[in-house]
Structures are given as C-alpha cells and as structure tokens.
Amino acid sequence: MGHVLVLGGARSGKTGFSEKLATRAGKRAVYLATAQALDDEMRERVAAHRDQRGAHFDTVEEPLALSAALREAARTHDVILVDCLTLWITNLLVADRNVADAVDELVAALQEISDTQVILVSNEVGLGIVPDNAMARMFRDLAGSAHQRLAEICDDVFFIVAGLPMVLKGAPPPTSGGRIHEA
Amino acid sequence: MGHVLVLGGARSGKTGFSEKLATRAGKRAVYLATAQALDDEMRERVAAHRDQRGAHFDTVEEPLALSAALREAARTHDVILVDCLTLWITNLLVADRNVADAVDELVAALQEISDTQVILVSNEVGLGIVPDNAMARMFRDLAGSAHQRLAEICDDVFFIVAGLPMVLKGAPPPTSGGRIHEA
Amino acid sequence: MGHVLVLGGARSGKTGFSEKLATRAGKRAVYLATAQALDDEMRERVAAHRDQRGAHFDTVEEPLALSAALREAARTHDVILVDCLTLWITNLLVADRNVADAVDELVAALQEISDTQVILVSNEVGLGIVPDNAMARMFRDLAGSAHQRLAEICDDVFFIVAGLPMVLKGAPPPTSGGRIHEA
C-alpha cells in the first residue's frame, strides 16, 4: 500500500482532502497531529478539528518524534494521516534538531511501514517572494528539500488548490472528474 | 450556464485569460471591477485596462456590494467578469464587514443567476511563507476559505501560471492543447 | 527545436528537472549561470553545483548580458540551460537596467536560435501575500510579465512542485507516468 503526499497552500483544503482519502483507505484511521495544544485557544481548535473528523479517527499528538510515532501507530491502524510536516519541521528547528537527519529517518520509517498507508500533509511555502528573514529562508529550503525526498518515495502526490487536487504523481483520486469533492 | 473561478498569482495572466473566456461566452459582457479609482494614478490604470478590453465590455465598479451588483448586471448581460475577489475581500476587511457572511451572500447570488455566466478572478495568496503580520494571515485564511467555497459551486476552476491554465475542475478551455492563448 | 520554460518555487527541484531534460536533449550542454561567484561561499556553492552536473556540462557565468551570452553559447552547444531568470531580473534591477527591454531582447534572441535548445529556469514568486516592500512588488510584477511573454514563445512550459512536473504547455516529459524522476 503506497504512501501519499498532499501539498497545498494555507487554507487550500489539503487536510479535508486528506481526511476523505483516509476515510476511504481504511477502517482504523489515526490522525497524527504535529501541533501541540499548548494553550486554551489551541486546545479548543484541536478539539473542534477532532469533532469534525468524526469518531472513526483516533488522534495522536507528536511534535518531534514522528518516525517512532508512525511505527507505533502502524501496529494498530490501517491508515495514518500526518498533519502537518511543515509544523513538524518548525518544531525540529525550534528544538535545534537536525532536520535533514530527521527527514532521513522519516523516509526509512515510511519504507518499513508496508501494511499501513501513511498520508502526509504539508504546506507548500516556496512560491512567494524570497523572505527577508534568514530563518524563514532556511525553513523554506528545508521544507522544499523534504517535499522532494518524500515525493520520490510516495506513490501518490497531490497539489491542492481551492480544495481541488492536481495530480503530481500516481492516479487521480477515486472519483469521477479527477475530484474527490461531492463524491 | 456554469460559473467559472480563475485563480492565479500576481501577474500570472489570470485577467487576460478570463477576458478571453468572457469574449467567447457572450456578446453582452460586463467587467465588474472591485477596485476603486480613488486617485489619478488609479484612474489612469483603470482607463488603460478599459481600453485594452475593447468596446464590447461594459464596466461597473463595486468595491463592497458585490452580490447586489451581480444580480443587477445579470439582468442586462450574458457574462460578468469579476476582477478580483481578493481585492473585494480586502475592501470588506477595511470596511470592517464580516467576510464569511459576504461570501455566503455571494454563493447565494451565484446560485440564483442561471442565465448569465459569472467569471470570478482571484489571487492565490497562500503559497508563500506564513506572513509575520496578523492581518495578512487572517486575510489569506479568508481568501483560501472563500476559494474553497466558490470552487465547490463553480463548474470550471482554473489555476493560471505564466498565462497558461491548469484545469482544477471542469473541461479544458476551448482551444487545442489545453491552451487559450494564440487561439 | 523548441525552447522550454521551467517554473517552480524555492527548492522545488526545477534545476534538477532541467538538468535531466538538458542531458537528454544533447551531447554538448552548457550551464549558463546568472549568479555571480562574488565571495568564497558563493564560489564553493557554484563549484559544488558544477560537480553535481557532471563533466558533460560546460559552465558560463553571465549576470546581465543574457541574450549575447545565449547567441555565443548557441554556436558551440546543442542545449543551453539558463539558471535562473529571476536572478537575472534581480541583477538587471540592481544595475538599474530596463527589464522590459531586456526581456524583449531575450525573446528576440530565443526566436533567432533554432538549432540549439534553450531551457529557461525561473522562480515563480507571485503566489504569496502582496509584499510590503515596493521593490519586491515591482520585482514580482516584472517576473510575472516575463514568464507570460516567454511562455508564449516556448514550446514546453512546466510547473515543478516537489520535483515533479505539471505540464502547462507542450508534451509530458519523456518518461512514463508523466515524471522525469527515476527514469
């Protein structure tokens, strides 16, 4: 079962698209959030998102040790939705970890996990003007490099705009007209 | 007659592409500008654009009350080109209006208008680094949400890069090779 | 032999994709870099890139006089990879040259060069929030206009995301599955 990379901009509908893919892919789905509910506002947003996804999604939070969390979740689930890689990379940078090494570990974990489908959601952040801020430039370089590496090993790669997928690699999503909406 | 959403970046050729679509769609075309000609520079730019479009386009300016302007224009025109939604959303924010409510009204108006084709032009703004500015973050979230809602009810959605369309939904534009240029 | 325009974001894999295209296109390939190796760090990066490309690529550096450099390189090479146009436009702005005139000259040079394929790499920079900085706004308008003009005269135009091409114009790249990677 091949893994999936879902790229898109802010509020592009990439998470909603990925949740529909996950719902089709298996009965035992888990949402692996890289965000941490550190304050009340964040806790409320996380709870609201959990209610939206419905009861058939378990939820796990892991800001840093993504590969270990994936291996753990794969033991008990058919499909894992990771939302999102850009926040995970941000967390790694803030924690002063080596992002390239962590991406290598993620690639290795994905190649080991064969009975569970992993759907990776990430923000495309490299299509604006070069940021003034050196940290932002480093971040977008690291995100872009991670996307390239992951796109190589995923079977399906989508680029979402306005909730609608463009197929970068693999087959169109399983609905008529190349769309997963209104299916 | 289905409505059309045309997304693209700055200077991506989305307006030129949309004007060609509008020219094919009907004889009585109106250009509904959400920009206001507040100063001389702006008045000159608006006049230059009007001359470019040619005599078969009427022009209406409406910065805020878009749904009412659409209903009004639909009485007397075959096709309405709205340019652009991102500026309209900016105008709403500056005027302290509720953007989500205004988008709901726009969706309702579009669903009522069935004998006139509406072509909506908007800037995709969510593919760069997260802006430092809280207002800019709110704006791109509102724009992204609006694009998703409108993409659901439009029959054709295009993403324009370098003047060339990628089809997100619907049929390729009516020229060979998936292109509307040089047709 | 038609020319090619390869657009993409930061670290999108557009140069790697273009190098593969160039390797297929001809035996006598030249890499026309618009970057200047002004300091040691830059010299090291340029040398590292040259080693990556391998021995079959010659390298020429030309920050400003791109059209003259293309005509010169076309006499002795089958394929010219220009990397990248956005940096060239930046160099023109810094040198206070007229960018629109320089793009006109580039278009004229490309139309003259018929026995050598030119592959133009450029950054798409117009898909983020409008920059605060007036120079950045002018730059992205000039880049967007240049991309539109060049897309009109190129036979193939690609938009690269995560190392994978979307076809804006022309035929898919010469590998199965619409991908040039792993070919």
Side-chain angles (χ1 to χ4, degrees):
Chain A
M1 196 183 317
H3 304 310
V4 182
L5 177 62
V6 179
L7 298 170
R11 296 289 164 107
S12 63
K14 57 195 183 304
T15 297
F17 175 83
S18 301
E19 286 175 4
K20 282 179 193 131
L21 279 188
T23 301
R24 283 145 202 258
K27 284 184 184 162
R28 297 176 306 161
V30 59
Y31 182 86
L32 204 169
T34 56
Q36 286 175 289
L38 295 175
D39 58 25
D40 283 351
E41 186 196 332
M42 198 67 187
R43 267 186 286 275
E44 279 171 36
R45 289 184 56 186
V46 167
H49 277 124
R50 194 185 300 140
D51 291 346
Q52 268 181 19
R53 282 193 296 277
H56 62 290
F57 270 96
D58 294 330
T59 300
V60 173
E61 285 177 28
E62 178 48 59
L64 292 168
L66 181 56
S67 300
L70 279 175
R71 286 192 179 94
E72 179 69 26
R75 286 192 206 126
T76 46
H77 292 84
D78 301 320
V79 58
I80 306 169
L81 172 49
V82 179
D83 190 7
C84 67
L85 293 180
T86 24
L87 190 48
W88 173 62
I89 291 170
T90 304
N91 294 340
L92 291 168
L93 282 174
V94 169
D96 207 21
R97 305 285 179 87
N98 185 308
V99 173
D101 288 351
V103 172
D104 285 345
E105 287 168 30
L106 174 58
V107 167
L110 290 167
Q111 289 177 320
E112 274 174 44
I113 295 169
S114 59
D115 293 331
T116 294
Q117 183 172 53
V118 182
I119 301 172
L120 303 157
V121 177
S122 197
N123 275 66
E124 175 54 53
V125 296
L127 289 159
I129 284 287
V130 178
D132 290 334
N133 180 316
M135 182 77 163
R137 286 197 300 275
M138 185 174 69
F139 167 71
R140 70 174 200 158
D141 283 353
L142 290 167
S145 298
H147 294 165
Q148 285 189 58
R149 286 225 42 206
L150 293 164
E152 281 182 30
I153 64 154
C154 284
D155 279 18
D156 296 286
V157 183
F158 298 105
F159 181 58
I160 310 294
V161 175
L164 300 167
M166 286 187 276
V167 178
L168 282 163
K169 183 178 176 181
T175 53
S176 61
R179 308 172 57 226
I180 198 164
H181 280 76
E182 303 175 6
Chain B
M1 197 182 318
H3 304 310
V4 182
L5 177 62
V6 179
L7 299 170
R11 296 289 165 106
S12 63
K14 59 195 181 305
T15 296
F17 175 84
S18 301
E19 285 175 4
K20 284 180 192 128
L21 279 188
T23 300
R24 282 144 202 259
K27 283 184 184 163
R28 298 175 306 160
V30 59
Y31 182 87
L32 203 168
T34 57
Q36 286 175 289
L38 295 174
D39 58 25
D40 283 350
E41 186 195 331
M42 197 68 187
R43 267 187 286 275
E44 279 172 35
R45 289 183 56 185
V46 166
H49 277 125
R50 193 186 300 139
D51 292 345
Q52 267 180 21
R53 283 193 296 277
H56 61 290
F57 271 96
D58 295 330
T59 301
V60 173
E61 285 177 29
E62 178 47 61
L64 292 167
L66 182 54
S67 300
L70 278 175
R71 285 192 179 94
E72 178 68 28
R75 285 192 207 125
T76 46
H77 292 85
D78 301 319
V79 57
I80 306 168
L81 171 49
V82 179
D83 191 8
C84 68
L85 294 180
T86 24
L87 190 48
W88 173 62
I89 292 171
T90 304
N91 295 340
L92 290 168
L93 282 174
V94 170
D96 208 21
R97 305 285 180 88
N98 185 309
V99 174
D101 288 352
V103 172
D104 285 345
E105 287 167 31
L106 173 58
V107 167
L110 290 168
Q111 289 178 319
E112 274 174 44
I113 296 170
S114 58
D115 294 332
T116 294
Q117 182 171 54
V118 181
I119 301 172
L120 303 157
V121 178
S122 197
N123 275 68
E124 174 56 53
V125 295
L127 289 159
I129 284 286
V130 178
D132 290 334
N133 180 317
M135 181 78 164
R137 286 198 300 275
M138 185 174 69
F139 167 71
R140 71 174 199 158
D141 282 353
L142 289 166
S145 298
H147 294 165
Q148 285 189 57
R149 286 223 45 205
L150 294 163
E152 281 182 29
I153 64 154
C154 284
D155 279 18
D156 296 285
V157 183
F158 298 105
F159 181 58
I160 311 294
V161 174
L164 300 167
M166 286 188 277
V167 179
L168 282 161
K169 184 179 175 182
T175 52
S176 60
R179 307 172 56 223
I180 199 165
H181 280 76
E182 305 175 5
Chain C
M1 197 181 320
H3 304 310
V4 182
L5 177 62
V6 179
L7 298 170
R11 296 289 165 108
S12 63
K14 57 195 182 305
T15 296
F17 175 84
S18 301
E19 286 175 4
K20 284 180 191 127
L21 278 188
T23 300
R24 282 144 203 259
K27 284 185 183 162
R28 296 175 307 160
V30 60
Y31 182 87
L32 204 169
T34 57
Q36 285 175 289
L38 295 175
D39 58 26
D40 283 350
E41 187 196 331
M42 197 67 187
R43 266 187 287 275
E44 279 171 35
R45 288 184 56 184
V46 167
H49 278 125
R50 192 186 301 139
D51 291 346
Q52 267 180 22
R53 283 192 297 276
H56 61 289
F57 270 96
D58 294 330
T59 301
V60 173
E61 285 178 28
E62 179 48 60
L64 292 167
L66 182 54
S67 300
L70 279 174
R71 285 191 179 95
E72 178 69 27
R75 285 190 207 126
T76 46
H77 292 84
D78 301 319
V79 57
I80 306 168
L81 171 49
V82 179
D83 189 8
C84 67
L85 294 180
T86 24
L87 190 48
W88 174 62
I89 291 170
T90 304
N91 294 340
L92 291 168
L93 282 173
V94 170
D96 208 21
R97 305 286 180 86
N98 185 308
V99 174
D101 289 351
V103 172
D104 284 345
E105 288 169 30
L106 174 58
V107 167
L110 290 168
Q111 289 177 320
E112 274 174 45
I113 296 170
S114 58
D115 294 332
T116 294
Q117 184 172 52
V118 181
I119 302 172
L120 303 157
V121 178
S122 198
N123 276 66
E124 175 55 54
V125 295
L127 289 159
I129 283 287
V130 179
D132 290 333
N133 180 317
M135 182 77 164
R137 285 197 300 275
M138 184 174 70
F139 167 71
R140 71 174 199 158
D141 283 352
L142 289 166
S145 298
H147 294 166
Q148 285 189 57
R149 287 225 42 206
L150 293 164
E152 280 182 30
I153 63 153
C154 284
D155 279 18
D156 297 286
V157 184
F158 298 105
F159 181 58
I160 310 293
V161 175
L164 300 167
M166 286 189 276
V167 179
L168 282 162
K169 184 178 175 181
T175 52
S176 60
R179 308 171 56 223
I180 198 165
H181 280 75
E182 303 175 8

